[in-house]
Amino acid sequence: IDKDALDTQVKDRKIQEAAEKARNEGIANEMKQNDKIMCMLEERQKNDIRNINKAVNEFQKNFQKPETRREFDLSDPQGLRKDKPARLSDSDPRCTVSGLQKFMGEDLNYDQRMKFQKEQLREWSLQQQRDWKNALADQKFADELHDKNRIELDQKTMEQQRKEEENKRAVCVATKDFNKTQAAELAERRKLEKYQKMKDDMDEISSLLQGDLLSENPEQAVSSFGRHRVITDRWKGMTQDQLMAIRHSQQQQVLEKLRLKEEERQRDAEWDRQIIQAARAQLVLERHQQRQNRECRRALDNINAELSQEQKSKNIYLKEEAYSNFPTGQYYAQFNTTSR
């Protein structure tokens, strides 16, 4: 058995196991970092949604109270207590609808009230525009941060792949140099062994020619301690079957080494395929998220357009229908002509 070749195979196997272990650890660390970044992005998105909902609730609470509505007097729980008959002035709380003393829009503070309402509507509109701009700015910032993190992740992946390729090349170069050194040492050792063997053969031939045991029978070299042992000064060398067994064992070792190299190549190809599939899945997930964001924006734009159209229709109705019929003086003259 060639012990040096076996030692070389053991060293090669250890080098392969160390490289594979380092590659697995690098991939595991990269996966942990990716999971951490995804968790941070999801937490930030949840916080943004929570802040937007909170801002909407605060706006409704502060600027859309029930007391500011036009029809609040119809559902005012204190309406019956506030209701009193007759009219003394525009600000008299005893003025009722049944007395026909005052109609909607005929108060003395009509101009100030309309101005205040217009200013209030203007402030509400400006506030909604500011909120919408802030929401767009936050969404844009989140998208930019997401793109930046994705680019950094891709760069890290490319850097990791480049390092792995450099490590593979370095291992291949080191293995090649080691194999060259081992081959040179083996050739020198075989040369010395051949020279020593030739010298020993010449000495043996000279001894046999000069001795009394010049015989071709191999049984005379069998030791008395067992047939697996021989007497060295009578042994004529190994038989052809023994030499064939040794060569067969060496061929089996070569085939085993080739099989291990093929398994390593298949494992590397499988890792590369899994990395590419993970990158493709990440890209599909990002595109799906972008489509969902575009659909949400489109739905929000449609809702805002519908609300704007309803507001315009309501303003046209109030301007052309509700506030267009003003009573004349003759209408007021027919009341209070008799005592009650």
Side-chain angles (χ1 to χ4, degrees), residues 249-305:
S249 177
Q250 290 177 349
Q251 291 178 357
Q252 292 295 327
Q253 291 176 358
V254 171
L255 294 176
E256 180 66 19
K257 187 173 182 179
L258 293 176
R259 186 183 64 80
L260 293 176
K261 287 184 178 180
E262 180 64 21
E263 290 181 355
E264 182 181 3
R265 187 187 64 78
Q266 292 179 358
R267 285 197 299 271
D268 294 338
E270 181 66 19
W271 274 112
D272 295 338
R273 185 181 64 80
Q274 292 182 3
I275 291 172
I276 293 172
Q277 288 181 355
R280 290 178 178 174
Q282 181 68 20
L283 181 60
V284 171
L285 180 61
E286 291 176 357
R287 291 179 179 175
H288 180 68
Q289 185 67 28
Q290 291 176 359
R291 287 196 296 269
Q292 288 183 349
N293 293 334
R294 286 197 297 271
E295 291 177 358
C296 291
R297 294 195 191 102
R298 192 179 297 111
L300 185 60
D301 293 339
N302 294 332
I303 292 172
N304 290 334

Side-chain angles (χ1 to χ4, degrees), residues 111-123:
D111 295 336
Q112 291 80 0
R113 180 168 53 79
M114 291 300 295
K115 183 178 180 180
F116 175 76
Q117 290 178 356
K118 291 179 179 179
E119 289 293 330
Q120 190 176 21
L121 291 174
R122 178 175 174 274
E123 290 296 328

